[in-house]
């Protein structure tokens, strides 16, 4: 529910008090998570006492939802957190002093892949043999390491894919790669017969001129509800390199709490209260206010470390173990003895 300004301040000042607890497992710590357009504040359990248990339950629930053809609330938070951390690290690094006027090696692009004919294979076949082959190709030939994909059903009943990655690939090359894969599975037969060429407009590429706005654009597609029929199997996936990323999060301190109160008084934020959390949404005039500057200061080093791990840190060197040299056994030549039997006889038998 939305709260009035007075109620907002009362609530902000009350949610941080930890309830009385009988055991250390019940300890609650006021924590916040910083997203692109809002903060989420929630009293979080002390992970020191139940970290393994909560992590296992979270992964189990996340995997189950991946195969139900929908994005659950838990999965949506995971997706939003990973993509935000990934793209924010690029924004902050590119805007750092000394990098603003350099050629940007990494910036996000948004790729859409569609089928050029009526879908004739099951969803899982398309994902494995078409999408999977496309990802293998761009990883092998275009140095793509970090990516996120989402499957969606079109109004015509066909499955199609949205892919977010961080390296420029010419749109014509993307189209040729995808159309060749389609052709291998018969999806260009009717198009070639009708138009006498093998390059239907089956792809769309959007690059990020403004990464901040691009982040919101990407999240809209990656976490939106399925409007048409449910897709069989997994509906999203990502590279291992960004699997463990999290948006900036930390314990709520007094300085940040005061900045939130100030933003509430200036009507720069609006607050939504859930049963177990509070979301603080930023209004249009929020940028460059005290709270915005404070969050940017806190998060800067955090996101620069993510960028360093993803792009600047040299890969772990794997020692090259040479296989043992196998020597072909040599045939032993027969031993020939040149013995003087007269001497042997004189020394040993006399």
């Amino acid at each position: 529910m939305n709260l009035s300004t007075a109620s907002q301040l009362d609530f902000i000042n009350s949610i941080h008090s930890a309830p009385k607890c009988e055991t250390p497992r019940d300890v609650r710590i006021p924590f916040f998570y910083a997203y692109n357009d809002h903060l989420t504040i929630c009293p979080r359990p002390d992970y020191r006492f139940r970290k393994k248990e909560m992590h296992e339950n979270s992964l189990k629930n996340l995997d189950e939802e991946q195969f139900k053809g929908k994005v659950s609330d838990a999965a949506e938070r995971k997706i939003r957190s990973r993509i935000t951390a990934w793209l924010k690290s690029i924004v902050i690094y590119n805007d750092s002093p000394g990098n603003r006027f350099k050629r940007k090696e990494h910036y996000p692009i948004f790729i859409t892949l569609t089928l050029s004919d009526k879908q004739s294979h099951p969803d899982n076949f398309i994902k494995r043999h078409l999408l999977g082959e496309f990802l293998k190709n761009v990883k092998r030939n275009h140095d793509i390491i970090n990516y996120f994909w989402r499957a969606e059903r079109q109004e015509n009943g066909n499955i199609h894919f949205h892919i977010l990655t961080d390296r420029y690939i010419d749109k014509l090359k993307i189209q040729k790669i995808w159309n060749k894969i389609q052709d291998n599975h018969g999806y260009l037969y009717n198009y070639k017969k009708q138009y006498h060429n093998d390059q239907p407009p089956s792809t769309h590429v959007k690059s990020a001129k403004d990464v901040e706005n691009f982040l919101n654009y990407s999240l809209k597609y990656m976490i939106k509800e399925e409007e048409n029929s449910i897709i069989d199997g997994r509906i999203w996936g990502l590279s291992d390199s960004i699997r463990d990323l999290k948006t900036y999060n930390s314990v709520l301190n007094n300085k940040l709490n005061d900045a939130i109160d100030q933003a509430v008084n200036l009507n720069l934020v609006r607050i939504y209260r859930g049963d177990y959390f509070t979301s603080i949404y930023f209004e249009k005039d929020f940028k460059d206010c005290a709270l915005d500057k404070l969050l940017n200061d806190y998060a800067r080093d955090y996101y620069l470390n993510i960028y360093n791990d993803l792009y600047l840190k040299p890969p772990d060197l794997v020692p090259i173990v040479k296989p043992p040299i196998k020597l072909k056994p040599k045939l032993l030549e027969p031993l020939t003895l040149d013995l003087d039997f007269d001497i042997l006889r004189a020394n040993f038998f006399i």
Side-chain angles (χ1 to χ4, degrees):
M1 64 180 181
N2 293 313
L3 305 175
S4 64
T5 301
S7 300
Q8 289 173 358
L9 289 172
D10 292 340
F11 181 72
I12 288 294
N13 291 327
S14 66
I15 60 172
H16 316 312
S17 57
K20 293 182 180 180
C21 54
E22 297 180 358
T23 65
R25 291 172 62 87
D26 297 325
V27 172
R28 300 279 170 170
I29 302 173
F31 235 78
F32 74 89
Y33 297 82
Y35 297 95
N36 195 47
D37 58 350
H38 72 281
L39 282 177
T40 295
I41 303 174
C42 56
R44 194 175 78 171
D46 191 334
Y47 282 177
R48 291 176 298 173
F49 301 102
R50 49 184 303 198
K51 184 174 182 180
K52 182 178 180 181
E53 173 191 347
M54 295 185 69
H55 180 67
E56 290 175 351
N57 290 338
S58 177
L59 290 179
K60 180 181 177 182
N61 293 336
L62 194 61
D63 289 338
E64 287 177 354
E65 294 297 339
Q66 275 189 322
F67 295 95
K68 290 183 179 178
K70 65 178 182 179
V71 178
S72 68
D73 291 340
E76 178 182 334
R77 289 193 295 272
K78 296 279 187 180
I79 293 170
R80 183 184 293 276
S81 182
R82 289 163 177 168
I83 293 179
T84 299
W86 176 24
L87 298 191
K88 275 279 192 181
S89 72
I90 296 175
V91 172
I92 291 177
Y93 178 82
N94 287 343
D95 287 343
S96 298
N99 295 327
R100 294 177 183 174
F101 303 105
K102 288 183 179 179
R103 180 179 178 273
K104 306 298 186 291
E105 293 187 15
H106 301 282
Y107 62 92
I109 64 170
F110 193 83
I111 304 169
T112 301
L113 308 176
T114 58
L115 297 176
S116 299
D117 205 344
K118 184 174 177 59
Q119 183 176 334
S120 57
H121 296 89
D123 293 341
N124 286 326
F125 182 94
I126 300 291
K127 285 182 285 185
R128 178 180 293 273
H129 297 284
L130 279 80
L131 174 64
E133 186 60 33
F134 177 85
L135 292 175
K136 286 180 183 177
N137 188 298
V138 295
K139 285 191 286 187
R140 181 173 59 246
N141 297 319
H142 297 281
D143 298 326
I144 295 298
I145 298 175
N146 311 304
Y147 62 86
F148 184 98
W149 65 265
R150 167 74 195 272
E152 190 179 16
R153 184 80 66 194
Q154 292 179 283
E155 292 183 2
N156 62 9
N158 285 357
I159 192 173
H160 74 151
F161 304 101
H162 300 296
I163 301 172
L164 181 63
T165 187
D166 56 8
R167 186 180 290 272
Y168 171 77
I169 308 175
D170 183 77
K171 61 182 181 180
L172 293 179
K173 290 183 179 179
I174 291 176
Q175 181 174 296
K176 288 180 180 179
I177 293 169
W178 177 244
N179 283 338
K180 183 178 180 181
I181 295 170
Q182 282 199 98
D183 197 14
N184 293 338
H185 296 279
Y187 284 96
L188 297 191
Y189 177 79
N190 289 328
Y191 183 88
K192 290 193 293 185
K193 186 176 180 180
Q194 181 176 358
Y195 296 102
H196 306 290
N197 74 70
D198 60 355
Q199 291 302 319
S202 57
T203 61
H204 180 264
V205 180
K206 180 179 178 63
S207 59
K209 295 180 180 178
D210 182 349
V211 181
E212 290 281 354
N213 292 331
F214 186 84
L215 174 55
N216 294 329
Y217 173 86
S218 303
L219 287 171
K220 180 182 74 172
Y221 282 96
M222 295 303 186
I223 62 178
K224 73 176 182 179
E225 288 289 334
E226 183 60 61
E227 298 175 353
N228 301 302
S229 60
I230 291 177
I231 292 171
D232 294 333
R234 299 179 65 182
I235 61 172
W236 62 272
L238 71 169
S239 59
D240 290 338
S241 55
I242 63 172
R243 188 175 301 278
D244 295 327
L245 297 186
K246 292 181 181 179
T247 189
Y248 176 67
N249 58 93
S250 184
V251 177
L252 191 66
N253 58 35
N254 291 332
K255 190 173 182 180
L256 189 63
N257 192 40
D258 293 341
I260 293 174
D261 290 345
Q262 183 183 8
V264 170
N265 286 324
L266 295 174
N267 294 319
L268 298 176
V269 297
R270 52 189 171 84
I271 295 181
Y272 176 87
R273 177 181 179 181
D275 293 334
Y276 305 103
F277 66 93
T278 299
S279 290
I280 303 174
Y281 289 92
F282 309 146
E283 299 288 6
K284 291 182 179 179
D285 298 330
F286 176 79
K287 191 171 179 61
D288 294 329
C289 72
L291 179 57
D292 182 42
K293 292 178 180 178
L294 189 60
L295 288 173
N296 289 335
D297 289 342
Y298 284 166
R300 179 181 175 78
D301 289 340
Y302 176 83
Y303 287 124
L304 286 176
N305 285 334
I306 289 178
Y307 189 93
N308 180 69
D309 290 340
L310 287 177
Y311 303 111
L312 303 179
K313 187 177 179 180
D316 295 333
L317 298 178
V318 178
I320 300 175
V321 179
K322 295 183 179 180
I325 300 174
K326 294 183 179 180
L327 299 176
K328 292 183 179 180
K330 293 184 178 180
L331 295 178
L332 296 177
E333 297 179 356
L335 185 61
T336 57
L337 298 176
D338 186 13
L339 300 177
D340 190 336
F341 288 98
D342 292 334
I343 297 176
L344 288 174
R345 203 178 291 114
N347 288 283
F348 296 103
F349 302 109
I350 297 176

